Amino acid sequence: MQVELISHTPEPERLVAAAARLCYSPRGASRLLAAMDREEIERLLRLLLSLGHESPLEHITFTFAIEGVSRVLSHQLVRHRIASYSQKSQRYVNEDNFTYIIPPSIAAVPEALARYQECMRALQKAYHEIQELVPREDARYLLPNACETKLVCTFNARSLFNFFRLRCCNRAQWEIRELALKMRDQVRKVAPLIFSHAGPTCETEGVCHEGAQSCGRAPVVRAREES
């Protein structure tokens, strides 16, 4: 899996702080942007995050290039609808000898891996043969969820908070959790204060909302913070 932050709002933390300050200042946004020093930016951001006042986060966006992931992952990713997506088209791109993702649980069992790879080879062969008979857009119905895909996605920071809250959780499906953790690492490099507390509620609040399905991490985090 390759994840790269290819674009983002310049000086994202300064912009969020200025947008928040604008609500309570007679000065315009451009003057606020120019005048605020780092100390004031950090103070405002900490206040915003402590109050859960997230609407100013919608002013900053982050764009990622993602490769080496499955259609299983992309089907989950687009459920986060407050984002923009562009994905490799199986209608127009020839998928002869398509690459595919192997789940770790399958890779760890030789018998399962052999059967899995056998199925993929059979699908590759069938796709190639049927594509000679029907349009590619119909041959693609044979392609599996494991088929590798590439996409570009853009989130605003508030949407990323929601994404990290759900998908960095230990109970998230393994592939999208790996993606979420990689994305979080990258945005923390350009907006470290904003994303310092982004993640599952066991990390950010010391509580878990998974009920009986909880992994049990929340009490451990809470005890560590209280000690």
Side-chain angles (χ1 to χ4, degrees):
M1 179 187 297
Q2 296 86 46
V3 182
E4 182 182 357
L5 178 63
I6 59 174
S7 182
H8 62 82
T9 303
E11 296 191 89
E13 295 189 330
R14 175 178 293 275
L15 178 55
V16 170
R21 171 61 73 201
L22 178 69
C23 299
Y24 307 99
S25 173
R27 290 182 291 173
S30 60
R31 290 176 62 195
L32 288 168
L33 276 169
M36 299 179 76
D37 60 24
R38 186 62 195 176
E39 183 178 350
E40 184 178 7
I41 290 170
E42 292 182 1
R43 181 179 59 79
L44 269 172
L45 291 179
R46 289 193 179 93
L47 179 62
L48 286 176
L49 296 172
S50 68
L51 295 175
H53 182 32
E54 297 181 351
S55 61
L57 299 176
E58 296 176 18
H59 293 296
I60 58 173
T61 62
F62 301 83
T63 299
F64 303 87
I66 301 168
E67 299 184 19
V69 298
S70 71
R71 285 266 170 165
V72 170
L73 182 146
S74 66
H75 294 332
Q76 296 180 80
L77 185 60
V78 297
R79 292 176 65 190
H80 296 271
R81 293 183 293 278
I82 306 177
S84 300
Y85 302 96
S86 299
Q87 184 172 15
K88 180 180 74 171
S89 170
Q90 291 182 332
R91 183 182 186 191
Y92 297 108
V93 177
N94 192 325
E95 292 282 13
D96 272 352
N97 300 313
F98 62 82
T99 56
Y100 53 87
I101 308 305
I102 304 176
S105 63
I106 292 177
V109 180
E111 183 180 356
L113 178 60
R115 180 68 179 125
Y116 187 83
Q117 292 174 320
E118 177 187 352
C119 289
M120 292 300 157
R121 287 192 294 269
L123 286 171
Q124 288 170 330
K125 182 174 185 293
Y127 172 79
H128 175 74
E129 293 172 346
I130 289 179
Q131 199 177 178
E132 300 296 315
L133 305 172
V134 303
R136 182 180 297 152
E137 67 178 15
D138 294 334
R140 66 179 165 156
Y141 280 72
L142 274 172
L143 296 173
N145 275 337
C147 197
E148 187 267 352
T149 192
K150 300 173 177 63
L151 54 95
V152 170
C153 61
T154 301
F155 286 75
N156 70 48
R158 192 177 195 180
S159 293
L160 278 175
F161 264 62
N162 174 260
F163 178 68
F164 295 147
R165 187 177 299 119
L166 297 173
R167 302 301 187 172
C168 291
C169 173
N170 281 340
R171 285 194 36 77
Q173 187 262 352
W174 68 268
E175 190 180 15
I176 200 167
R177 182 170 187 268
E178 180 181 345
L179 172 67
L181 292 172
K182 288 178 180 291
M183 290 169 62
R184 187 175 66 168
D185 285 344
Q186 300 224 3
V187 295
R188 280 179 169 174
K189 294 176 183 177
V190 297
L193 185 53
I194 285 177
F195 291 104
S196 61
H197 296 292
T201 57
C202 62
E203 290 182 9
T204 60
E205 303 172 25
V207 298
C208 178
H209 302 291
E210 293 291 323
Q213 302 300 317
S214 174
C215 72
R217 188 177 178 217
V220 176
V221 174
R222 190 162 58 247
R224 185 171 66 236
E225 291 179 349
E226 293 173 351
S227 62

